[in-house]
């Protein structure tokens, strides 16, 4: 059984999530429901949960402030939140899980299934990346958390040359000639990197503009990257790319 604590200041949301877990996630046992951050801190210390469902927006102490007060992150974590682009961006960059309210049954089951498969402590770096991203612009951060089949890799953003779609996975090409297979789609990786100097140039390719050595003309053309490889540019994305390569271009 997965021992879980729900933290949310809205009783209705707690009741809804509790009902969904009871009906559709029988492996989850709810140890306690907390309606504020202070009571959650005590419950976490006493119950030592395997999983925390954590609301972000709460009065007096929000979800992120609660995490900052914990001495260690020794449980799985799923955020529950209404749509907040800034908060979700921070969560994505740290590779932590989240559910949008109102919580969908299938999305909940998928999130719990991932927890069941992992059942390991999240890396401390995930929380570090999350909290740093909340306190400063994401473009000033130099690391993101990339999920792989083996676990999480903390990768320097400027070490990525380009990203290649491989069905439901993405291959990251790094400067040290290393290739990393991320268990995320190219669209998800693109969203993680959109605040940096990355852009989609083809349905299968996202590139680091700082690593482009040359653009070669053609119907769509292609890019010569700093590692000597070439990346095709789709005709539909050519103009947007040229605008980024030549900001003053009219």
């Amino acid at each position: 059984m997965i021992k879980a604590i729900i933290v949310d200041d809205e009783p209705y949301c707690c009741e809804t999530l509790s009902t969904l877990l009871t009906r559709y996630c029988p492996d989850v046992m709810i140890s306690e429901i907390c309606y504020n951050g202070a009571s959650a801190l005590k419950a976490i210390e006493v119950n030592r949960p395997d999983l925390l469902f954590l609301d972000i927006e709460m009065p007096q102490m929000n979800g992120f402030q609660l995490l900052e007060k914990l001495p260690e992150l020794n449980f799985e974590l799923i955020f529950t939140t209404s749509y907040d682009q800034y908060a979700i961006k921070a969560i994505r960059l740290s590779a932590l899980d989240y559910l949008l309210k109102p919580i969908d049954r299938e999305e909940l089951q998928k999130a719990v299934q991932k927890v069941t498969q992992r059942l390991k402590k999240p890396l401390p770096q995930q929380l570090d990346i999350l909290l740093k991203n909340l306190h400063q612009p994401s473009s000033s951060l130099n690391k993101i958390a990339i999920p792989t089949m083996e676990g999480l890799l903390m990768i320097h953003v400027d070490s990525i040359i380009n990203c290649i779609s491989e069905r439901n996975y993405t291959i990251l090409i790094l400067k040290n000639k290393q290739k990393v297979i991320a268990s995320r789609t190219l669209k998800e990786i693109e969203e993680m990197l959109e605040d940096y100097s990355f852009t989609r140039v083809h349905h299968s390719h996202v590139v680091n503009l700082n690593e482009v050595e040359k653009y070669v003309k053609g119907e769509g053309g292609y890019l010569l990257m700093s590692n000597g490889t070439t990346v095709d540019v789709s005709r539909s994305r050519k103009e947007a790319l040229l605008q980024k390569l030549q900001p003053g271009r009219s």
Side-chain angles (χ1 to χ4, degrees):
M1 294 291 287
I2 299 172
K3 187 163 58 174
I5 292 176
I6 297 173
V7 185
D8 196 317
D9 65 306
E10 300 179 71
Y12 172 75
C13 292
C14 292
E15 182 181 343
T16 300
L17 178 54
S18 177
T19 299
L20 287 171
L21 288 168
T22 301
R23 289 181 180 175
Y24 304 111
C25 303
D27 291 336
V28 177
M29 178 186 70
I30 302 169
S31 297
E32 195 164 341
I33 295 176
C34 303
Y35 300 109
N36 57 66
S39 62
L41 288 173
K42 294 178 182 177
I44 291 168
E45 182 180 0
V46 171
N47 291 282
R48 299 185 177 277
D50 302 308
L51 172 62
L52 188 70
F53 289 95
L54 179 60
D55 183 28
I56 294 175
E57 292 300 325
M58 296 186 293
Q60 299 177 338
M61 185 192 303
N62 67 32
F64 297 133
Q65 292 168 333
L66 185 155
L67 291 176
E68 288 183 305
K69 291 181 179 296
L70 290 171
E72 59 180 344
L73 185 68
N74 55 0
F75 46 77
E76 291 286 339
L77 180 61
I78 298 176
F79 289 100
T80 58
T81 178
S82 300
Y83 185 75
D84 179 328
Q85 188 173 6
Y86 181 60
I88 290 174
K89 169 67 71 174
I91 295 167
R92 280 178 178 160
L93 288 172
S94 63
L96 291 163
D97 290 328
Y98 67 93
L99 294 167
L100 289 177
K101 296 179 181 179
I103 293 174
D104 177 77
R105 172 178 63 84
E106 291 186 1
E107 291 300 318
L108 173 62
Q109 288 176 308
K110 288 178 184 177
V112 170
Q113 185 178 34
K114 285 163 64 177
V115 169
T116 303
Q117 291 170 348
R118 288 193 305 260
L119 277 180
K120 60 174 176 50
K121 298 177 183 178
L123 296 177
Q125 295 100 315
Q126 284 181 272
L127 184 56
D128 291 341
I129 290 175
L130 172 66
L131 297 178
K132 285 178 182 177
N133 194 45
L134 290 166
H135 294 308
Q136 59 184 302
S138 59
S139 57
S140 67
L141 300 177
N142 60 5
K143 277 189 176 182
I144 58 174
I146 298 293
T148 70
M149 296 298 289
E150 293 78 28
L152 284 164
L153 279 179
M154 304 300 154
I155 294 180
H156 285 273
V157 172
D158 58 8
S159 72
I160 304 171
I161 295 176
N162 61 295
C163 310
I164 306 168
S165 174
E166 185 65 34
R167 297 184 182 177
N168 291 325
Y169 296 87
T170 300
I171 301 173
L172 276 62
I173 308 298
L174 308 184
K175 287 182 181 178
N176 58 6
K177 297 184 180 180
Q178 182 184 2
K179 293 182 179 180
V180 173
I181 300 177
S183 52
R184 290 287 188 273
T185 64
L186 185 61
K187 178 176 174 57
E188 290 174 295
I189 297 296
E190 179 185 15
E191 290 174 348
M192 293 176 70
L193 295 170
E194 65 185 4
D195 287 339
Y196 303 90
S197 55
F198 287 78
T199 191
R200 177 83 73 108
V201 297
H202 188 278
H203 68 83
S204 297
H205 298 283
V206 167
V207 302
N208 184 346
L209 293 175
N210 292 327
E211 299 302 319
V212 175
E213 295 285 342
K214 183 179 182 181
Y215 168 72
V216 179
K217 294 180 179 179
E219 185 176 0
Y222 65 89
L223 297 171
L224 177 64
M225 306 303 294
S226 60
N227 62 350
T229 62
T230 60
V231 176
D232 289 334
V233 177
S234 68
R235 185 171 56 182
S236 62
R237 297 180 185 271
K238 174 180 176 180
E239 189 60 32
L241 170 66
L242 293 176
Q243 289 285 355
K244 291 183 178 180
L245 292 176
Q246 302 171 283
R249 184 173 181 268
S250 58

